[in-house]
Amino acid sequence: FKQKTAYEIYQCDWSSDVCSSDLMLAYHAKIQANSRLSQYQNVLQVSQTSLEIARAVGDPEMSAYANMMIGTSYRQRGNYLKALQYLSVALKTAKTIGDKTREAVTLNNLANVYYSLGDFGKALPYFHEDLFLARKTRKTLMELRTLANIGNVHMAEGRHEKANQSYNEVLGLSRLHGYRGRESRALSNIASVLQKGGNSERALEYWMKALRIAQETKDRAREGFVLMRLGLLQRDLEKDLDFYDYLSRALKIGKETDNAQLIWQTEAGLGEMFALQGNRKRAIQHYANAISLYDSVRTSLDIESLTVSFLEERHEPYPAIVQLLAEQDEYEAAFVYGEKYKAKNLLDIL
């Protein structure tokens, strides 16, 4: 009889006579289900088992897919060194077997690792290569995703007009093809541009539209991100009473989905908002939580050039917690954080 590999089912290609264990189909389904729910720890565990099975039965397609999902899971959890290792293997395998779709997806994930590390110069070429393959293979969803990522790079480097052009292109195409998840992301990105330009009230409209779609489509990762940004927006809108509701909900989602980036952004945001309210004790607690997570992620990198770039985007809690501790006459604790900050040559605060 004829059995199909998980990859063949995924690609809807019934032309091959390759035989593989039915168990691989079940693992592929489990990876997809957990990924849709943003359960990255579960994705990691199932993908690791799937990789072992793929190696045992000699299925390079599933091996490439499992390596990619393991790398993606490590990226979401903040372990960027391991993410690079697994994604590099996935990319090499995809190129070897001539799988342009898997190659494009892996290129995008590699670019996102470098983007998360703040190395935009390395991220952008991967995104452009990914976009070329997405258009060549006529994969609209992949094209939308990559256009948005290129917009993110422009945004991070201060080219707001170019970023806005990319985001609006994504929004139009998403609505044209009925891709609501991509519409939510495009609305979020446009909201960020508006917020950067000081148009907070209009940004709020876009954030709320993005949140509704994320909740309707059950996109937990997007919902958590939008809630975090809505919490921080309350500062600009001078609505301090609303910030905790949004940020605490975002933090809950971050912990449930094991999303390191969402957790540290939310912890730092809570620290900032409590500091503005004069609640030093709670501000220190949240800043300390954020710094602890930064340090654990930084240690896992073990790549000094990337570590510095990574921390340059995430150093704000250090001087903030030093100042708060000093104001409470906790000079020894303040000194420890100050020395930790100086050690990375980011800013001399003493």
Side-chain angles (χ1 to χ4, degrees):
F1 64 96
K2 182 176 178 180
Q3 291 178 310
K4 300 288 175 277
T5 66
Y7 182 76
E8 286 175 304
I9 296 295
Y10 180 72
Q11 293 289 82
C12 298
D13 177 10
W14 291 87
S15 62
S16 173
D17 288 321
V18 176
C19 290
S20 181
S21 170
D22 287 336
L23 188 59
M24 291 186 65
L25 300 178
Y27 272 103
H28 182 274
K30 288 180 70 175
I31 292 171
Q32 290 291 305
N34 283 289
S35 181
R36 282 193 293 270
L37 294 171
S38 301
Q39 296 291 343
Y40 301 118
Q41 177 60 33
N42 292 343
V43 171
L44 178 61
Q45 293 173 350
V46 177
S47 297
Q48 287 171 331
T49 303
S50 181
L51 180 59
E52 293 176 6
I53 297 172
R55 287 170 173 169
V57 300
D59 188 335
E61 292 90 350
M62 191 61 185
S63 179
Y65 175 71
N67 272 303
M68 185 194 71
M69 294 306 297
I70 292 170
T72 302
S73 299
Y74 276 126
R75 177 177 68 84
Q76 293 288 355
R77 302 180 71 207
N79 193 329
Y80 299 117
L81 179 59
K82 283 195 173 182
L84 288 172
Q85 291 173 341
Y86 280 94
L87 290 171
S88 296
V89 173
L91 180 62
K92 182 178 179 180
T93 304
K95 287 183 174 181
T96 299
I97 62 179
D99 185 341
K100 297 300 182 184
T101 300
R102 184 67 55 221
E103 181 181 347
V105 175
T106 308
L107 283 166
N108 185 269
N109 278 286
L110 278 165
N112 274 312
V113 173
Y114 287 114
Y115 179 87
S116 296
L117 292 166
D119 194 338
F120 307 121
K122 285 187 177 179
L124 197 56
Y126 280 112
F127 282 137
H128 280 301
E129 190 175 352
D130 172 28
L131 182 62
F132 172 79
L133 288 174
R135 286 173 170 168
K136 183 177 181 180
T137 56
R138 298 184 180 181
K139 302 288 186 180
T140 304
L141 268 174
M142 291 166 53
E143 180 182 357
L144 293 175
R145 174 204 62 204
T146 310
L147 279 170
N149 286 330
I150 290 172
N152 292 341
V153 174
H154 288 314
M155 188 71 177
E157 295 191 320
R159 298 184 292 272
H160 298 164
E161 187 174 341
K162 282 191 173 182
N164 199 43
Q165 289 173 356
S166 293
Y167 297 150
N168 274 284
E169 185 177 356
V170 173
L171 181 61
L173 288 171
S174 298
R175 286 173 170 171
L176 177 65
H177 293 282
Y179 294 134
R180 302 202 73 213
R182 293 297 163 187
E183 181 182 352
S184 176
R185 284 164 170 75
L187 289 165
S188 299
N189 290 328
I190 294 170
S192 295
V193 176
L194 291 168
Q195 200 169 335
K196 270 287 187 187
N199 197 339
S200 299
E201 291 289 348
R202 191 149 178 248
L204 177 62
E205 296 176 16
Y206 278 84
W207 284 122
M208 294 306 296
K209 290 177 183 177
L211 179 62
R212 282 194 293 272
I213 295 174
Q215 291 171 335
E216 289 169 5
T217 57
K218 302 187 187 304
D219 186 341
R220 295 280 282 164
R222 176 56 39 178
E223 181 184 358
F225 172 77
V226 175
L227 286 168
M228 181 269 296
R229 292 300 301 269
L230 277 167
L232 297 179
L233 180 62
Q234 305 313 303
R235 170 192 55 200
D236 299 333
L237 297 171
E238 299 181 354
K239 296 180 180 179
D240 290 350
L241 295 178
D242 295 333
F243 86 89
Y244 184 72
D245 175 59
Y246 286 121
L247 291 177
S248 60
R249 286 160 64 190
L251 184 60
K252 182 174 183 290
I253 291 174
K255 291 179 177 178
E256 288 175 352
T257 59
D258 202 22
N259 189 324
Q261 183 163 335
L262 178 58
I263 295 171
W264 72 51
Q265 287 177 318
T266 307
E267 291 281 16
L270 284 164
E272 179 184 354
M273 300 304 282
F274 279 121
L276 290 172
Q277 286 191 336
N279 191 333
R280 292 174 184 163
K281 183 176 180 180
R282 295 199 69 176
I284 290 171
Q285 174 190 341
H286 288 290
Y287 277 140
N289 290 344
I291 289 171
S292 177
L293 184 54
Y294 298 162
D295 288 346
S296 67
V297 172
R298 186 193 66 227
T299 299
S300 74
L301 291 176
D302 195 29
I303 308 174
E304 187 60 28
S305 61
L306 297 182
T307 300
V308 173
S309 177
F310 168 78
L311 283 180
E312 282 175 350
E313 295 295 318
R314 298 166 172 84
H315 69 274
E316 291 84 357
Y318 286 91
I321 199 171
V322 169
Q323 181 177 345
L324 289 169
L325 289 166
E327 288 173 356
Q328 295 192 161
D329 298 329
E330 297 182 39
Y331 298 113
E332 185 175 344
F335 181 79
V336 170
Y337 280 108
E339 286 299 297
K340 188 180 294 187
Y341 190 38
K342 285 176 64 181
K344 290 299 166 186
N345 296 316
L346 298 179
L347 182 65
D348 188 346
I349 60 175
L350 295 183

